[in-house]
Amino acid sequence: MCGTDNDSAAAPAPHPASKANLPSSSPYSQVQDYLSNTQRYQIIESTLREGEQFANAFFTREHKVKIATMLSEFGCQYIELTSPVSSQASYDDCKYICSLGLKAKILTHVRCNMEDAKRAVECGVDGVDLVIGTSSFLREYSHGKSMAMIKQTHVPFPDTSGWHCYTPVPNSRNSKGVEVRFSSEDSFRSDLVDILALYQAVDKAGVNRVGIADTVGGATPRMVYDLVRTLRGVVGCDIECHFHDDTGCSVANAVTALEGGATHVDTSVLGIGERNGITPLGALMARMVVSAPEYTKATFDLPRLKDIEEYVASVVEINIPFNNPVTGFCAFTHKAGIHAKAILANPSTYEIIDPALFGLTRYVNITSRITGWNAVKGRITQLGLDGPGGFETDAQIKEVTAKIKQLADIRPLAIDDADSIIHAYHLQLTGNGKQQETAA
Amino acid sequence: MCGTDNDSAAAPAPHPASKANLPSSSPYSQVQDYLSNTQRYQIIESTLREGEQFANAFFTREHKVKIATMLSEFGCQYIELTSPVSSQASYDDCKYICSLGLKAKILTHVRCNMEDAKRAVECGVDGVDLVIGTSSFLREYSHGKSMAMIKQTHVPFPDTSGWHCYTPVPNSRNSKGVEVRFSSEDSFRSDLVDILALYQAVDKAGVNRVGIADTVGGATPRMVYDLVRTLRGVVGCDIECHFHDDTGCSVANAVTALEGGATHVDTSVLGIGERNGITPLGALMARMVVSAPEYTKATFDLPRLKDIEEYVASVVEINIPFNNPVTGFCAFTHKAGIHAKAILANPSTYEIIDPALFGLTRYVNITSRITGWNAVKGRITQLGLDGPGGFETDAQIKEVTAKIKQLADIRPLAIDDADSIIHAYHLQLTGNGKQQETAA
């Protein structure tokens, strides 16, 4: 492999994809929105809750401890665990992880009732994430409660004198040091007026965060922006967002929610979760290192991402998708001739992310019919076959490129095959050179 | 596997995820935008051009013919091929595919010069997709042309009297029956005023489409909406969009572009292309069957999607990503107890897409610590073990559920393991029944 032309090896100069290099009227140089939290977002990492709902997931305590530790060290501000009422191991493991003293705060996801919340706090969590379905679908087919009943539901709430419902307990935010989040489920198919009224009530009662969940993964970015922006005007507390990926929009919805005023995004490693999962941590990092480079680089230990993904992939027995942002096997591979030419001159021509930020390198593929002579020239330089006695003229390089393209039209080529063609041609050049010397 | 509770087997009733079931003030029930083309979008399928730039791609003629045929039969309106000037096989295969008489129109992607465009038309294509880099990066490091030079570039253009540059040839649209698209490359890092002026000029000259390309994959949906909406006010021709997926936004950007007035979206099967690729055809279908169900179902043969993806995956030697929308192995797998309960009562509680639309089925997983007794009840019914002499009470089902959760806390369970526990308990129940009969 010829993946040696890594920026980090070259010089500590800033990657030229920085905003400073953009024309002033480029659509990338957006005016900063008033509402946007892209420069100060927080991650609620839910591999150990949403991820446990992934078809292949079976986490032992050892897995859970290692995953929680890695995510905390990576810089995730929160780690969410499966409800302790799910099973005995869920309870014991939650308690154990809370005792580890990780830097990240530990949350658990519980149904909206007092018993579940109390069990969670027994385990020593830093916060409880309460959830109730508010769409007509879930009201009818899941818990069977009407909207009027939901509004009267006692949101379990700790204050100095014990647990209370939400209505009579204003100003008790954080009184017991346990954060409380209240989320609707299936928010985008809920009645807007109903959920806004509910969020307003729990905000007044003093919850730390309200949550919006696209439980079925059907929302589009513009729906998300409208809902979050509206909610931002209704509540004073933080806003958390949870996006499923059924229609491929989970990453875009997350960044758009932050632009609309959301403060926290739920992720899981590789996006594992119910069905095809939620916003993947790695893809969100790819997005945010472009949208908020300084904050993202300062807050998250990006070069650890690949190890975390590989560990979780091995535990749940999946392959990292070939097209995964950043860590997919070809995320920084360049193949077309016109791309390769430009990337060799300046990587940011065809890269919005510097692979070195994630401890990775780029690779220029020259083994196809669509390669070009500039790409082959780069390879010749890497092999040290340019200069006097070797490839001296562009005409020579164009000729060897034609030979590579000819063979690549017939069968798939490995880099060895292309190198062989280059070496054979080079031998001919030096052979000719020697013959000329002899003749002279 | 227990994937037998398929809607298609049940009844031809409409999937309840239809808009009719949404509350009138749900954020999903959007007012139709004036600009939006989501109900009449067209696909430019680029597996045989962008996809050939994928690291693993080596397409023989047989592959190309089969892929083009499948995509045409699927309903894609356009199929884009690699430039005929790339290699001899590219030329020959382009000519051959044009001769097949497929329903889809055949396009090829060529550099913005007369020679390339003429070679393309020689092959018999229905249209040429011209491209030139307009960002400062590409101007400096790729083709080396200034913006002033680009504006004077002769856009190759067929009319009744031959090929012309764009400026002096108004009203020649389609005069030779060859569609012409003119696209900038790296549009989002180009100067807005420059590219708008350029698009306006080529529109006046009579191109059929202008193209916007997020070549580095860094755009967000709100940037896309702003740029497309602005462009919609500047040109009268169609607008094509091309989104790379480096930051995970390619599907969301595509639907947002359609909302802003774009007419055509570039896709490739599984998104294969340079680096980690572009908007995947399948993920876009998942998105559009939600955003524009009637048009999408009427226009595309959705049950063929899985075969197309599997064929392309086998040709380029990749696995279909575990988290692929629709066709990922767990896209319709439900695991958490509260999800499974609701899904058994009404699938659309936790599904925005009816799997039967794609010829697929759902699967409710009961083999984990987070399962619930309603999910187990569903399995018992599938196994025919409910009713007199078998599982008769909820208490019995709750007891066997507790046994399953207990074992699932200790080790990963297969469906066989869960079934064994259910059968053992059932045997005990019927054994007890027989004992009681004997005693009576």
Side-chain angles (χ1 to χ4, degrees), chain A residues 25 28 33 52 54 58 87 89 141 185 188-189 191 218-219 222 259 274 335-336 346 348 350 369 408-409, chain B residues 25-26 28 33 52 54 58 87 89 141 185 189 191 218-219 222 259 274 335-336 346 348 350 369 408-409:
Chain A
S25 75
Y28 269 8
D33 294 314
E52 197 162 25
F54 173 55
F58 173 82
S87 76
Y141 298 103
E185 206 185 348
F188 288 84
R189 294 194 299 181
D191 185 278
R222 291 174 69 229
E259 289 174 351
E274 279 284 351
K335 187 167 165 188
N346 178 344
S348 70
Y350 286 101
R369 65 167 68 110
D409 246 358
Chain B
S25 76
S26 155
Y28 267 8
D33 293 315
E52 197 163 24
F54 173 55
F58 174 82
S87 76
Y141 299 103
E185 206 186 347
R189 295 193 300 180
D191 184 279
R222 291 175 68 229
E259 289 174 351
E274 280 284 350
K335 187 167 165 188
N346 177 344
S348 70
Y350 286 101
R369 64 167 69 110
D409 247 357

Side-chain angles (χ1 to χ4, degrees), chain A residues 193-211:
Chain A
V193 180
D194 276 352
I195 58 169
L196 290 179
L198 196 61
Y199 286 133
Q200 190 175 45
V202 297
D203 179 49
K204 280 196 183 138
V207 299
N208 298 77
R209 287 189 307 284
V210 291

Side-chain angles (χ1 to χ4, degrees), chain A residues 196-238:
Chain A
L196 290 179
L198 196 61
Y199 286 133
Q200 190 175 45
V202 297
D203 179 49
K204 280 196 183 138
V207 299
N208 298 77
R209 287 189 307 284
V210 291
I212 288 178
D214 180 23
T215 305
V216 294
T220 61
R222 291 174 69 229
M223 291 178 195
V224 169
Y225 191 79
D226 285 353
L227 182 57
V228 174
R229 193 191 49 188
T230 304
L231 180 59
R232 184 68 289 168
V234 169
V235 299
C237 62
D238 286 341

